[in-house]
Structure formats: C-alpha cells, structure tokens
Amino acid sequence: MIPVDSVYKIGQLGRPHALGGEIVFFCDDDIFDRCDADCLLLKLDGLLVPFFIEEYRFQTADRVLMKFDGIDTKEQAAELVGAEVYFPKDVAATLDDGLSPAALIGYAIYDTATGTVTAPLRRIDTATDNPLFELADGTLIPVAEEWIEDIDHEKKTIRMTLPEGLLAL
C-alpha cells in the first residue's frame, strides 16, 4: 500500500478521447514529463494504484492526452474518468530544479514577522503571471521568492516573512 503522505496530487482525469483508450488528463504539474516517469498513481476507490504510461502528448500546458498500458478501449478509459492523479514526492525531489510547487499542498504558512501559522495550502493558483498560494480558508498569498525563508518538509510548513497586515486582508 502506498502511503498518502509520500505522494502529491498533480491533476485529474477527464473524459476518454477517441476510441483507442486515450483519456484527457488535466495536470497542475508536468513533473511526470520533466523526469520521464514510467507510471502515475490514480486514486481509485480510496487506494493509490500505479498505471504505467504507454504514451502521451500535450494539447496545452495543462491538458494532456494520456494513454495507459492495458487501457485500450474507450470503455476502459471511461472507468477512469474523474480519478485524481498523484506523483511520488521522492521521485520529484531528485530533479535538479527541486521539488515541484504542487508538492507543497497541505503545508501551512508560518509568518516569521508575527509568529502566525495559517490554514493549510489548498492549491497554487497559476492562472496569472503572479502565482498565489490559496489557503484552505480562502486567503490568498502571493508566491514571492523573496518572502520565502525556508520550507520544512518534516513539519510541513513554509516559513515566510509577509508584509504587515497581509493575513488580515
């Protein structure tokens, strides 16, 4: 059994594409492409199940047509619709460019200026040129590298020095 804390969510499967078993994969993180991964983990009935990648091609930066080994029909692909897709943190950490930002989901922000700890990070909004940490309580914090002091993976916290009053907005 694969421990949930050893992986992080990188997207979700959409609808089947054509008849040959391809399925649309909406990805928040292209880590599988950057490290030439052999498989992805799909959450099915509460369990993480490895699916080996046969081939894939990007339609856009966040939309991929994915073909898994053994999924050869539209009907087989339809059984995977809506499945959340995960990736192992230890594989992501081996990349030279470091851990992917999506691996930080669930971490809390520790504001060193006030000693405040926030709600956990729900997602990273990258829809604009200025990405935002979106916390579970709806708070938005700009992802400014100059504000980030340290990331503690054991405590699952991101130490930041935030401008005065930012968390009160």
Side-chain angles (χ1 to χ4, degrees), residues 31-148:
I31 187 75
F32 66 95
D33 184 53
R34 291 184 285 133
C35 71
D36 198 25
D38 292 331
C39 74
L40 296 175
L41 302 165
L42 304 186
K43 192 171 191 178
L44 302 173
D45 296 326
L47 298 173
L48 294 171
V49 180
F51 277 76
F52 288 88
I53 300 169
E54 188 172 308
E55 63 183 9
Y56 62 89
R57 64 185 185 277
F58 283 86
Q59 286 189 309
T60 64
D62 61 354
R63 183 182 162 110
V64 179
L65 294 181
M66 182 67 66
K67 172 74 173 76
F68 292 112
D69 191 33
I71 304 297
D72 299 315
T73 67
K74 183 177 183 178
E75 292 75 23
Q76 289 173 320
E79 293 178 21
L80 304 176
V81 170
E84 294 178 341
V85 181
Y86 291 82
F87 197 78
K89 288 180 183 178
D90 61 342
V91 175
T94 63
L95 288 179
D96 291 337
D97 61 357
L99 196 61
S100 173
L104 301 175
I105 302 302
Y107 284 41
I109 307 291
Y110 175 79
D111 181 8
T112 58
T114 63
T116 305
V117 178
T118 67
L121 182 59
R122 177 175 37 205
R123 71 182 194 96
I124 300 174
D125 182 351
T126 57
T128 65
D129 288 337
N130 300 314
L132 298 167
F133 286 142
E134 182 180 329
L135 306 179
D137 65 3
T139 302
L140 298 174
I141 298 174
V143 180
E145 288 186 34
E146 60 272 14
W147 295 354
I148 299 173

